[in-house]
């Protein structure tokens, strides 16, 4: 089937048609780097990583751009609190973000532009908008976008511009022509300088005086620099359609005189035990927090096992369920560590791979794709009884699909034997477990069967399951 995606702009699933045959230009809004990435960021990062992996596996030439916002009031204020420069703070959290990405098996984008490296492009776009009368310089030298002049404002979010006007607060002494207008450039007020503790103020020279860009204009300028005036797909998190992406459209289409983006994709929200994730509620988890308790594949699997547009409920129960799902795969794969993933081009006759591709072509439905992989595991276990070679062939197919999703990359035995970090009681070490298993084997040789059974029960009570076979005794944690 043809690639079909849900386009936020159209509010329905549509067949994807690229601007240039065989090529996809994709831009995703990345992080504002003033803190460690949280589980909501992981959702966006992993979702688009899977999308890009799949598209490339199907022969698409994907140019994937994901920006970094490294100048922002949040960054400046945090640096001021810490008594360090905003540049040093931003770089520290960029490095931390990259560490988190590697831990979660997230591939780097083709381009990762930073706002501070595109200041000339940002200033040039602001100047173009002023020249076209879509923007104006306020009395304090801020530059604002004229929302009322852009006729299609609200097309992405479905918001009515007149209703936005009715609901807007008009402050005494407001320097904007219209309460809906948003900042393209923020002038530095010498009497109220916001610095970064080391190199105050954080600003750049412009035709309107020293200042720094508004958030929305950064992505319009960076996407144009990296992908051109128009490109295929723009993605981001669930909170971005309004105002950020709505403002991007208004800026870019007014400045460039053409359609900005053809398809808009937005990942779903992450809720924690049914509530919105929030520091004030005490349910805010960074990726690093979660990695201290769970294997990185458990986090990735939890996200991949939901459709990218659906909400995910982050809870201990769901993480345990994700771990159990991976256990079922690894219980089989531990017997096939020598089997390499099949080449994608060799899978044209595979009914399992076709189910996988059809699922992914249907708006990247990873949940349905994984359900087919579960069926394949069942088939492998059944076939292996009578036809070991066919079972290996099916395992190769499974591994090829898993590579596209970025899962099942761990060593099966290490994954199954990893200590449960969520338990309040320390688990048995691997050395202790293997010593007890050796004692049990010896007890059976000595025909001390009660002693052997006692050891099995002791291990079971400590969350360790033994599996006896002709090859010997294997074990895994529950």
């Amino acid at each position: 089937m043809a690639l079909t995606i849900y386009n936020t702009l159209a509010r329905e699933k549509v067949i994807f048609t690229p601007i240039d045959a065989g090529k996809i230009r994709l831009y995703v809004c990345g992080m504002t780097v003033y803190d460690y990435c949280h589980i909501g960021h992981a959702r966006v990062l992993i979702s688009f990583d899977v999308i890009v992996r799949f598209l490339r596996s199907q022969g698409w030439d994907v140019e994937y751009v994901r920006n970094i916002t490294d100048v922002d009031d949040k960054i400046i204020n945090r640096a001021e609190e810490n008594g360090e420069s905003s540049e040093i703070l931003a770089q520290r959290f960029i490095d931390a973000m990259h560490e988190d990405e590697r831990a979660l098996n997230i591939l780097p984008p083709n381009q990762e532009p930073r706002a501070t490296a595109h200041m000339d492009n940002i200033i040039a776009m602001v100047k173009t908008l002023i020249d076209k009368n879509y923007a104006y310089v306020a009395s304090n030298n801020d530059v604002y976008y004229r929302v009322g002049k852009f006729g299609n404002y609200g097309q992405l979010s479905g918001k009515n511009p007149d209703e936005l006007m009715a609901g807007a607060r008009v402050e005494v002494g407001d320097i904007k022509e219209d309460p809906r207008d948003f900042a393209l450039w923020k002038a530095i007020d010498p009497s109220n300088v916001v610095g970064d503790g080391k190199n105050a103020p954080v600003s750049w020279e412009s035709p309107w005086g020293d200042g720094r860009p508004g958030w929305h204009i950064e992505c319009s300028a960076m996407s144009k620099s990296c992908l051109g005036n128009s490109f295929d797909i723009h993605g981001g998190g669930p909170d971005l359609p309004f105002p950020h992406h709505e403002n991007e459209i208004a800026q870019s289409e007014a400045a460039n005189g053409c359609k900005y983006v053809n398809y808009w994709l937005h990942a779903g929200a992450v809720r924690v035990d049914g509530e919105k994730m929030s520091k004030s509620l005490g349910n805010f988890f960074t990726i690093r927090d979660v990695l201290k308790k769970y294997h990185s594949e458990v986090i990735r699997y939890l996200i991949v096992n939901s459709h990218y547009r659906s909400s995910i409920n982050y809870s201990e129960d769901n993480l345990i369920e994700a771990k159990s799902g991976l256990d079922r795969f690894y219980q089989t794969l531990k017997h096939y560590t020598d089997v390499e993933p099949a080449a994608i081009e060799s899978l044209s006759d595979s009914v399992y791979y076709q189910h996988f591709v059809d699922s992914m072509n249907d708006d990247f439905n990873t949940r349905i794709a994984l359900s087919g992989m579960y069926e394949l595991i069942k088939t492998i276990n059944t076939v292996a009884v009578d036809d070991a070679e066919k079972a290996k062939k099916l395992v190769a197919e499974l591994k090829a699909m898993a590579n596209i999703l970025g899962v099942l990359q761990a060593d099966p035995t290490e994954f199954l034997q990893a200590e449960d970090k969520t338990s309040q009681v320390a688990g048995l070490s691997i050395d202790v477990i293997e010593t007890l298993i050796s004692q049990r084997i010896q007890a059976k040789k000595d025909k001390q069967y009660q002693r052997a059974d006692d050891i099995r029960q002791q291990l079971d009570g400590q969350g360790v399951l033994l599996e006896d076979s002709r090859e010997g005794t294997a074990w895994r944690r529950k």
Side-chain angles (χ1 to χ4, degrees):
M1 63 179 292
L3 175 61
T4 303
I5 62 178
Y6 183 89
N7 185 2
T8 306
L9 186 63
R11 294 170 184 77
E12 64 179 351
K13 285 198 287 189
V14 295
I15 294 176
F16 174 77
T17 303
I19 295 173
D20 298 315
K23 297 182 179 180
I24 295 177
R25 286 173 289 166
L26 166 65
Y27 184 96
V28 173
C29 287
M31 306 302 116
T32 299
V33 285
Y34 70 99
D35 206 342
Y36 293 112
C37 293
H38 55 65
I39 198 69
H41 294 140
R43 205 303 162 73
V44 175
L45 292 168
I46 291 172
S47 294
F48 284 98
D49 179 63
V50 170
I51 287 171
V52 171
R53 285 171 182 258
F54 171 70
L55 292 172
R56 286 176 176 158
S57 77
Q58 301 307 294
W60 292 99
D61 179 6
V62 181
E63 183 69 14
Y64 177 27
V65 179
R66 191 187 66 224
N67 78 292
I68 294 174
T69 296
D70 60 344
V71 56
D72 183 86
D73 288 349
K74 292 178 180 177
I75 297 171
I76 295 169
N77 292 337
R78 180 65 59 84
E80 180 87 354
E81 293 170 5
N82 294 351
E84 62 183 326
S85 74
S86 59
E87 182 180 3
I88 290 174
L89 180 137
Q91 186 60 55
R92 183 168 71 253
F93 287 119
I94 289 170
D95 293 341
M97 176 185 71
H98 289 157
E99 290 173 5
D100 292 342
E101 289 169 0
R102 288 190 291 272
L104 294 173
N105 193 26
I106 295 167
L107 300 176
N110 297 97
Q111 301 182 61
E112 195 173 50
R114 302 185 185 189
T116 54
H118 284 262
M119 209 53 62
D120 289 345
N121 296 324
I122 291 168
I123 291 170
M125 183 170 279
V126 173
K127 186 177 185 303
T128 297
L129 289 168
I130 292 173
D131 292 343
K132 289 188 171 186
N133 205 33
Y134 279 96
Y136 59 93
V137 183
S139 59
N140 67 345
N141 289 330
D142 284 353
V143 180
Y144 289 94
Y145 185 91
R146 285 191 172 97
V147 169
K149 185 173 172 61
F150 187 71
N152 289 327
Y153 195 80
Q155 60 181 299
L156 180 68
S157 61
K159 293 185 180 294
N160 185 320
D162 294 334
E163 292 177 358
L164 292 174
M165 171 67 89
R169 293 179 59 186
V170 180
E171 303 289 346
V172 175
D174 198 339
I175 58 175
K176 296 190 287 186
E177 295 177 352
D178 183 321
R180 300 168 300 179
D181 295 348
F182 57 89
L184 301 175
W185 188 260
K186 300 177 181 180
I188 294 297
D189 181 355
S191 66
N192 186 29
V193 170
V194 177
D196 62 13
K198 294 290 183 182
N199 300 305
V202 178
S203 65
W204 287 261
E205 293 181 358
S206 82
W208 322 284
D210 291 354
R212 59 181 179 273
W215 175 38
H216 311 303
I217 194 68
E218 294 175 3
C219 283
S220 284
M222 286 187 282
S223 62
K224 177 179 180 177
S225 175
C226 296
L227 297 175
N229 291 346
S230 300
F231 54 94
D232 299 287
I233 301 174
H234 196 317
D239 56 337
L240 294 186
F242 185 86
H244 186 51
H245 288 165
E246 196 73 70
N247 291 347
E248 276 190 63
I249 293 173
Q251 295 163 159
S252 296
E253 296 191 357
N256 302 327
C258 58
K259 188 169 185 177
Y260 179 40
V261 173
N262 286 344
Y263 304 89
W264 290 84
L265 275 64
H266 293 96
V270 174
R271 302 182 70 79
V272 178
D273 291 324
E275 294 186 303
K276 182 179 179 180
M277 185 170 63
S278 168
K279 286 185 177 179
S280 63
L281 294 175
N283 63 358
F284 181 91
F285 299 101
T286 68
I287 294 172
R288 296 176 170 227
D289 291 334
V290 186
L291 286 174
K292 291 176 183 177
K293 297 177 66 176
Y294 291 95
H295 192 286
S296 60
E297 276 216 343
V298 173
I299 303 171
R300 187 172 179 106
Y301 186 88
L302 173 69
I303 291 171
V304 172
N305 197 31
S306 295
H307 188 274
Y308 78 93
R309 283 192 290 114
S310 66
S311 294
I312 289 180
N313 187 39
Y314 175 88
S315 68
E316 292 292 325
D317 287 344
N318 285 345
L319 285 164
I320 292 169
E321 183 180 341
K323 170 66 165 59
S324 297
L326 284 167
D327 282 348
R328 289 196 289 274
F329 281 111
Y330 280 125
Q331 275 291 95
T332 296
L333 291 178
K334 70 182 180 183
H335 303 295
Y336 300 97
T337 55
D338 59 334
V339 176
E340 294 296 321
I344 295 297
E345 55 271 18
S346 71
L347 300 178
S348 57
D349 295 331
S350 168
V351 293
Y352 295 101
Y353 179 67
Q354 192 58 54
H355 175 273
F356 178 89
V357 171
D358 287 347
S359 301
M360 294 297 289
N361 272 331
D362 184 11
D363 194 32
F364 311 110
N365 198 328
T366 52
R367 184 169 179 81
I368 300 301
L370 271 174
S371 71
M373 292 167 65
Y374 273 124
E375 293 302 315
L376 179 52
I377 276 287
K378 294 177 185 177
T379 302
I380 290 168
N381 291 334
T382 301
V383 168
V385 176
D386 298 314
D387 194 337
E389 289 306 310
K390 183 177 180 180
K392 288 182 179 180
K393 179 177 180 296
L394 294 174
V395 168
E397 293 183 19
L398 176 70
K399 289 187 175 183
M401 292 178 249
N403 282 354
I404 294 172
L405 298 182
V407 296
L408 306 183
Q409 306 298 301
D411 177 270
T413 299
E414 290 180 3
F415 183 89
L416 293 168
Q417 294 182 355
E419 185 176 353
D420 181 6
K421 298 177 184 178
T422 66
S423 175
Q424 298 298 314
V425 180
L428 297 176
S429 69
I430 291 176
D431 287 344
V432 170
I433 292 169
E434 292 185 346
T435 296
L436 287 170
I437 290 173
S438 295
Q439 292 176 2
R440 177 174 176 266
I441 291 171
Q442 186 61 48
K444 291 172 73 174
K445 288 180 179 178
D446 296 340
K447 297 184 180 180
Q448 296 177 1
Y449 300 118
Q450 185 59 52
R451 169 64 177 153
D453 287 346
D454 290 344
I455 293 174
R456 174 188 281 276
Q457 291 177 14
Q458 178 185 351
L459 289 169
D460 186 79
Q462 294 288 323
V464 178
L465 295 176
L466 301 185
E467 298 168 349
D468 294 320
S469 68
R470 286 176 293 182
E471 288 76 28
T473 300
W475 66 273
R476 65 181 177 90
R477 298 187 194 270
K478 292 182 181 179

